[in-house]
Amino acid sequence: MPLLVMKFGGTSVADLARIRNAAEKVRREVANGYDVIVIVSAMSGKTNELVGWVGETSPFYDAREYDAVVSSGENVTAGLMALTLQEMDVPARSWQGWQVPLRTSSAHGAARIEEIPRANIDAKFAEGMKVAVVAGFQGISPEGRITTLGRGGSDTTAVAFAAAFEAERCDIYTDVDGVYTTDPRICDQARKLNRIAFEEMLELASLGAKVLQTRSVELAMRYNVRLRVLSSFEDQTEGAGTLVCAEEEIMESKVVSGVAYSRDEAEVTLVSVADRPGIAAAIFGPLADAGVNVDMIVQNISEEGRTDMTFSCPVDQVARAEKAMKDARDRGEINFHDLVADTAVCKISVVGIGMRSHAGVAARMFRALAEEGINIKVITTSEIKISVLVDRKYMELAVQALHDAFELEKVA
């Protein structure tokens, strides 16, 4: 039998009525001749509640017990989904991560998938099971303990199963009907994309788009798993949703496919750093050790042996970055006069595989921002992306201006 993977997020299984709605979509695919692996998240809000309970019980909790608690939300959903399908006369069974088994590393709270053996689920399909309902977000460590994959890990679970079982496609059902050129809540001209390349989706996901978890897109690109993003709350017609696929499947694309933003960014500058060989390693090594996620980096031209080093990071990591830098200075590893943090900035990015073969994208982007009086603080580029740091108060204006400048409301 051909096989599909269908993943339902928390809002799609928020209550029994929505679980029945999701189960009906699964039943239709079974009627179309597919065996189906369903990956489910916890019911909307449940994981946050469980995390809160762990924090109240033990502020300095054991990560192994944290995983045991927070993984339980997916177990409930998987059981309810299997029961609902059985009531529809669809042979279904729920599976927890350890029953598959989905083998992971021992990094509790942020485990990596290492292997998904097919034997147990394949045997049940051979016996007549039509749907395997698998609890997402969880696995089992080499020590036999329950692990979790980090927030949004059910997307990664779904893609990993699609790769392991050579699924025809992996459908991600969520509360939006596809991937848009930008956030429709900010720009009413935003347009749903019919197709988007893996690389573009990976950039958009890492730059702030919340439709898919970054790790899931990385995995899909590595194993060439065709992803489709769909709404749980709409009937699916031909061409519904957005297909995330290899670049070769897209006949012609616009130069820029989308505009992404990340609201909670900060700009940190080390003023008058001693400029010497190894200074970058001396700065960014301690930041990495402190768990600071550094993104954009700019170093000024050296003058009289001193330079300024600027980088961006999530705003909630600024205190950690400040401590790491001051500790490094106290240890004599680096020498700087001052540390200045601006926590009122945001990152705006344009993304598109068409940039590889078209010149002038940066000039067009900068001109559009200049015409709106928006000053650029930091710039970084890659082969298919240009990102800038600007004052957060201009975020929505910048997104709209760039969406208009690249005429993203128009079909290629």
Side-chain angles (χ1 to χ4, degrees), residues 329-346:
R329 182 170 62 181
D330 292 344
R331 293 193 298 268
E333 297 171 4
I334 56 176
N335 181 329
F336 59 91
H337 288 174
D338 196 10
L339 185 153
V340 179
D342 183 353
T343 57
V345 297
C346 68

Side-chain angles (χ1 to χ4, degrees), residues 49-220:
E49 181 181 43
L50 294 169
V51 170
W53 288 350
V54 170
E56 285 183 38
T57 303
S58 176
F60 303 102
Y61 53 76
D62 182 333
R64 295 166 297 184
E65 302 306 335
Y66 170 93
D67 278 357
V69 174
V70 300
S71 64
S72 64
E74 281 73 15
N75 298 342
V76 172
T77 312
L80 291 172
M81 176 68 80
L83 286 171
T84 304
L85 287 164
Q86 290 170 10
E87 286 298 304
M88 295 177 174
D89 293 325
V90 177
R93 182 198 143 168
S94 67
W95 298 74
Q96 296 178 20
W98 64 270
Q99 292 173 303
V100 174
L102 190 154
R103 299 195 175 110
T104 74
S105 65
S106 300
H108 288 275
R112 310 289 291 190
I113 297 173
E114 295 182 345
E115 184 187 13
I116 303 178
R118 294 180 50 159
N120 288 345
I121 287 180
D122 276 343
K124 289 300 179 183
F125 276 135
E127 293 172 11
M129 178 185 72
K130 300 302 296 179
V131 180
V133 184
V134 179
F137 174 63
Q138 62 177 252
I140 185 168
S141 72
E143 296 78 28
R145 299 284 310 193
I146 294 171
T147 55
T148 63
L149 309 180
R151 299 308 290 266
S154 292
D155 284 352
T156 303
T157 305
V159 175
F161 268 88
F165 284 81
E166 300 175 332
E168 186 175 300
R169 194 178 63 246
C170 179
D171 288 347
I172 307 289
Y173 285 85
T174 181
D175 53 359
V176 297
D177 62 347
V179 180
Y180 279 73
T181 50
T182 195
D183 189 339
R185 295 170 298 182
I186 287 181
C187 179
D188 58 11
Q189 295 289 313
R191 175 177 56 84
K192 184 177 74 68
L193 298 166
N194 292 325
R195 295 187 177 216
I196 187 169
F198 288 127
E199 289 178 87
E200 292 173 316
M201 189 67 245
L202 184 58
E203 289 285 8
L204 289 173
S206 65
L207 293 168
K210 306 296 184 185
V211 179
L212 290 170
Q213 188 211 39
T214 305
R215 278 170 62 191
S216 71
V217 184
E218 289 175 347
L219 205 58

Side-chain angles (χ1 to χ4, degrees), residues 4-9 11-12 21 25-26 28-29 155 169-180 192-194 211-212 226-244:
L4 281 183
V5 173
M6 303 172 71
K7 182 263 178 179
F8 294 93
T11 55
S12 303
N21 176 64
K25 295 182 185 302
V26 176
R28 288 176 197 162
E29 297 295 0
D155 284 352
R169 194 178 63 246
C170 179
D171 288 347
I172 307 289
Y173 285 85
T174 181
D175 53 359
V176 297
D177 62 347
V179 180
Y180 279 73
K192 184 177 74 68
L193 298 166
N194 292 325
V211 179
L212 290 170
R226 298 169 89 240
L227 291 175
R228 192 169 61 154
V229 180
L230 299 153
S231 170
S232 295
F233 311 118
E234 296 180 5
D235 289 332
Q236 305 313 325
T237 57
E238 187 68 27
T242 299
L243 183 68
V244 186

